Amino acid sequence: MVGRSPRSVAGQVFLLQVALIALLVVGAVVAQVLQSQRAGSAEAERRSVAVAQTFAHSPGILSALRAPEPSKVLQPLSEAGRKSAGVDFIVVMDTHGIRYTHPQPDRIGKRFVGRIDPSLAGRVHTESVHGPLGHEVQATVPVNDGDGKVVALVSAGLKVKTVASHAERQLPLILSAGAAGLVVTTAGTALVGRRLQRQTHNLRPDEMARMYKHHDVVLHSVREGVLIVSADARLLLANDEASQLLDLPQGAEGRPVAELPGLTSGIRELLTSGRKATDEVHVAGERLLAVNQRPAGPDGCAGSTVMTLRDSTELRALSGRAEMARERLKLLYDAGLGIGTSLDVTRTAEELAHIAVPRFADFVTVDLVDAVLHGEDPVDEGSDMRRTAVKGILKDHPFCEVGCLIDFIPSTPHARGLGTGRSELVSDLGTATGLHLQAPERLKRIQACGIHSLVSVPIQARGVMLGVATFWRSRKPEPFDEEELSLAEELVARAALSIDNARRFTREHTLAVALQRSLLPRALPEQNAFEVAFRYLPAQSGVSGDWFDVIPLPGGRVALVVGDVVGHGLHAAATMGRLRTAVHNFSTLDLPPDDLLSRLDDLVSRIDQDESDSDRDSSVIGATCLYAIYDPVERRCVMARAGHLAPALVSPDGDVTFADVPTGLPLGLGGMPFQTAELQLAEGTQIVFYTDGLIEDRARDLDVGMDMLREALARHPDRSPDQHCQAVVDELLHGRPKDDIAVLVARTLATPADRVADWDVPCDPAAVAGMRAAVSQKLEEWGLSDLAFGMELVLSELITNAIRHGSPPIHVRLLRDRTLTCEVSDGSSTSPHLRYAATTDEGGRGLFLVAQVADRWGTRYTPRGKVIWAEQAIAAHDAPPAYQARPPAQRQPGRTVHEDDARSAL
């Protein structure tokens, strides 16, 4: 340590370390002493408690206390115990604190010094007191008799100086260990200080700070790159400018020059050769570098060289700007030709993204207001945005897929642009707080792909905000600038007008399609009662009110309906839609055909009256309707008609007749009841429903048209319903009809007998258990054991209700169709209803349980009472082959992303 100045860094570090080590050793010694004292006190308390408890519970203590003179018996015992236990005293006293024993016999009979209340309460009490022997640590415990009563107290303890003597005996050892540690650590500190002195050249701290500060300022602030290479071609130093110009990796210093990635062959050869160079021009990436190299000065390392680099690409940048302007003009020209080639909103958005990638941006996303995709005017700007187009240089892009519904929060650039109508430029995605709040996880994936900057441009045309286009950059390190923002706005402006034109066309097209689709059912429902085919031919011009429907009913039954609203035009079509809806609603009540037509007649009368009062020119005179219900189990068909033509029946052998159904007045005239006709149909019979436009014409009478229909249907028993439809249209029509025509052909099917089971049930609650067993057995035969529990529960509730609240006869029918149906009928017409039973009610929960277990349930009335039915779904693989359900409808294009992810999308 000779020559070390106390003002140098080495001297200051040495003094600081010595002081710190001394402080730590002294602290350790003090802590050890205190710990030893605390440990001695704790040990004294534990020993006192143990001795007192042992003596208090020793045999003979109670008998000694009952002796005439307890002190004569207890004093020798307590002294012997004290000496053997190593304590200073053992005192036995009565419950008033009067001593029986004491190491000083003259203290016997006097009051004990200390608290005895806790011990009288049955607890062990330790304390420190000043007693006859001096400062003492004592423990007092109770002595209990056989009944647990405290009859005496025992106290044992040590003098404090006895406890302290144990700690003092350990003090020399502690001090010796501390001194040894101080010597060893001081020697180590001296060695470290000597090495530090050599490395710092015995400089003072301010001198070292000034030297390194000047070194960093000069090295890293100059606009020239500086490299120092050793004699063995290893990189010793590279400043920030050199690392940036040569794109050196982190940790490059110390590595051989030949192993550094990114160096051009010319610069690598120059660095390894060590030759002199003056203003040599080398290309490094997109930069032109002027390079100088010289050997290091005399004070440097032997054989090392120093290289300086200057960026001289300014002239090249000026020439590049002119080229960029030309490319932008070409991009705008191509956008004018390539955007808006079709009147499709989605296609136009895709064209915008295709033009911009990769010539302007690396990724483009186009989000349109969801209403715009349907041709509607946008209402709420910034919400319900649909991802319409995504294009990028990578197929596996990090953005939300096309079809995702996005709700931009107000702080995002997209929402701000939609609200203000101005474009937003984000130079660094890391500072975009709104994007972090919108979708933090997705933003991390976006940044992981190298995307660092964006331009968000609102899409608006004719004062309508249609959406937002976002351009993202990843390959170029520099962010978008103001010039590129203007270019993006120009691109979007050209696309916005095309998108708005496509939106308007979509709106008109959607209205026309919606009107056309409203005239007919979009698809016939699945059912097992009929094979159905239909034809609908619109009139030459305009629309009318002809319609038909196939409506599945409970119990495997199916309703067929065909109708015709009087008049033409949009008003007739709208009225037809109202009637179709009404028929569907009334059919859910499971009404017989005559009751349903009566309710429909009242509805048409009210519609006619309301519209006659407001606009007499648009009033509806009436409508015709034919409604039929077919039961495939009993092969029975019940029909009623209101002014409509009777249906044709084609028997399995090819004979054609017209059903004898009583004629009722057209709907809306009112005043007369409707009558039904019940037909027993053979399996394979085809029922032909049609509207008057098929057989009525100015060139022929109605009877002629009926005969032509009979001829078209007759003598062809092998025709399918679809073939019959086509044959009727071909033979009765020539050219485009002047009136709407609807033809519906349904071939009857019969439910196989092994798919139906029925039982008569006695009016006795005891019969319920037997019915459960019978139904369970039948379900097992059908392979539907998994539905047995639920169906047994439903059956029990329905039969019990029929027995308690209905009247005989009670009948149960189990039907396996597309669903498993349980029907319980009785002779009462009392309508059950679902309710919430109170906690104090003894009943009232039956139908509630049925509603929870069954998929559907309801009631229909018969001339002999009522039927309560309940359905449970059957898995597709459990259904018979003819009853298999169609696969679920495919999701619409563009809706493949869950819409509840809107807030997390980006």
Side-chain angles (χ1 to χ4, degrees), residues 209-288:
R210 185 168 58 254
M211 183 185 69
Y212 282 105
K213 180 179 181 181
H214 293 168
H215 174 271
D216 288 341
V217 169
V218 173
L219 186 64
H220 297 290
S221 298
V222 295
R223 297 295 297 172
E224 284 195 0
V226 179
L227 298 174
I228 300 178
V229 180
S230 65
D232 58 351
R234 287 183 177 272
L235 181 64
L236 298 179
L237 182 143
N239 68 349
D240 294 343
E241 186 71 10
S243 298
Q244 181 178 357
L245 294 176
L246 298 179
D247 196 19
L248 295 177
Q250 292 183 356
E253 295 180 351
R255 296 174 58 181
V257 173
E259 297 179 1
L260 293 177
L263 293 180
T264 62
S265 59
I267 294 179
R268 181 179 285 108
E269 184 274 332
L270 182 59
L271 287 171
T272 55
S273 66
R275 62 180 175 85
K276 290 184 178 180
T278 302
D279 290 335
E280 291 186 6
V281 178
H282 292 265
V283 178
E286 298 181 355
R287 298 184 177 92
L288 293 177

Side-chain angles (χ1 to χ4, degrees), residues 712-786:
L713 296 173
R715 298 181 299 279
H716 295 286
D718 55 341
R719 278 182 183 169
S720 65
D722 187 78
Q723 292 172 336
H724 268 310
C725 283
Q726 192 61 43
V728 167
V729 171
D730 293 340
E731 295 184 25
L732 272 75
L733 299 179
H734 303 283
R736 186 77 178 272
K738 296 181 180 180
D739 191 8
D740 286 6
I741 294 174
V743 180
L744 179 66
V745 179
R747 173 184 287 168
T748 61
L749 302 176
T751 302
D754 59 349
R755 300 290 175 186
V756 183
D758 52 2
W759 300 270
D760 290 324
V761 181
C763 194
D764 183 3
V768 177
M771 285 305 307
R772 285 201 303 265
V775 169
S776 178
Q777 181 180 357
K778 178 57 67 174
L779 293 180
E780 186 175 355
E781 294 177 5
W782 286 346
L784 302 177
S785 300
D786 54 333

Side-chain angles (χ1 to χ4, degrees), residues 296-613:
D299 294 334
C301 299
S304 62
T305 58
V306 178
M307 175 183 284
T308 60
L309 309 166
R310 289 197 315 273
D311 188 358
S312 59
T313 57
E314 294 181 358
L315 293 177
R316 186 178 180 184
L318 291 175
S319 62
R321 292 179 183 176
E323 179 66 19
M324 185 180 299
R326 189 189 67 81
E327 291 179 356
R328 290 178 178 178
L329 289 176
K330 181 66 167 58
L331 176 62
L332 292 176
Y333 175 77
D334 292 343
L337 296 179
I339 298 177
T341 59
S342 65
L343 289 174
D344 182 81
V345 175
T346 302
R347 177 59 183 165
T348 305
E350 292 172 349
E351 290 170 348
L352 170 61
H354 181 76
I355 287 291
V357 176
R359 298 168 62 182
F360 175 67
D362 299 318
F363 297 90
V364 174
T365 59
V366 181
D367 306 307
L368 299 179
V369 179
D370 196 37
V372 172
L373 297 173
H374 304 289
E376 303 171 1
D377 292 329
V379 180
D380 297 328
E381 300 174 354
S383 61
D384 293 337
M385 304 291 293
R386 181 78 62 180
R387 176 61 47 82
T388 309
V390 180
K391 179 71 175 178
I393 58 175
L394 300 176
K395 291 184 179 180
D396 187 17
H397 61 79
F399 300 97
C400 181
E401 296 293 339
V402 171
C404 177
L405 188 65
I406 305 176
D407 183 10
F408 291 112
I409 62 177
S411 58
T412 58
H414 309 74
R416 290 197 301 267
L418 290 169
T420 62
R422 294 190 296 270
S423 302
E424 294 282 333
L425 170 61
V426 179
S427 301
D428 184 5
L429 292 185
T431 63
T433 306
L435 297 181
H436 282 280
L437 296 176
Q438 175 80 24
E441 294 300 326
R442 190 173 293 277
L443 183 60
K444 290 180 181 178
R445 295 198 295 271
I446 291 174
Q447 292 178 309
C449 292
I451 300 174
H452 57 82
S453 179
L454 69 84
V455 169
S456 177
V457 183
I459 304 173
Q460 52 184 334
R462 302 183 180 96
V464 177
M465 192 65 67
L466 305 174
V468 60
T470 309
F471 304 88
W472 311 77
R473 173 167 289 178
S474 63
R475 290 182 302 174
K476 294 183 179 180
E478 64 274 7
F480 287 107
D481 54 28
E482 293 297 332
E483 293 183 3
E484 291 169 320
L485 176 63
S486 300
L487 178 60
E489 291 175 343
E490 184 67 23
L491 280 174
V492 173
R494 294 173 183 248
L497 191 60
S498 298
I499 291 176
D500 190 55
N501 290 336
R503 176 186 68 87
R504 292 168 178 258
F505 172 79
T506 302
R507 178 178 60 190
E508 301 300 330
H509 180 70
T510 302
L511 290 175
V513 170
L515 176 61
Q516 180 181 7
R517 289 183 177 180
S518 67
L519 300 177
L520 287 175
R522 296 194 177 186
L524 295 180
E526 298 176 349
Q527 41 79 32
N528 290 334
F530 293 111
E531 294 178 11
V532 182
F534 67 90
R535 293 292 187 275
Y536 181 84
L537 284 77
Q540 291 181 356
S541 61
V543 291
S544 185
D546 292 8
W547 91 92
F548 63 91
D549 263 318
V550 178
I551 306 173
L553 299 176
R557 298 168 303 125
V558 175
L560 301 176
V561 58
V562 63
D564 184 6
V565 175
V566 177
H568 291 81
L570 293 175
H571 182 73
T575 304
M576 176 270 290
R578 298 169 71 176
L579 294 183
R580 282 191 58 220
T581 302
V583 170
H584 274 273
N585 292 336
F586 292 154
S587 65
T588 60
L589 301 176
D590 219 347
L591 301 173
D594 52 343
D595 287 348
L596 186 142
L597 291 180
S598 297
R599 299 194 181 205
L600 201 62
D601 179 62
D602 293 338
L603 175 63
V604 174
S605 298
R606 289 196 302 271
I607 294 175
D608 193 13
Q609 180 63 37
D610 294 342
E611 295 181 347
S612 297
D613 294 341

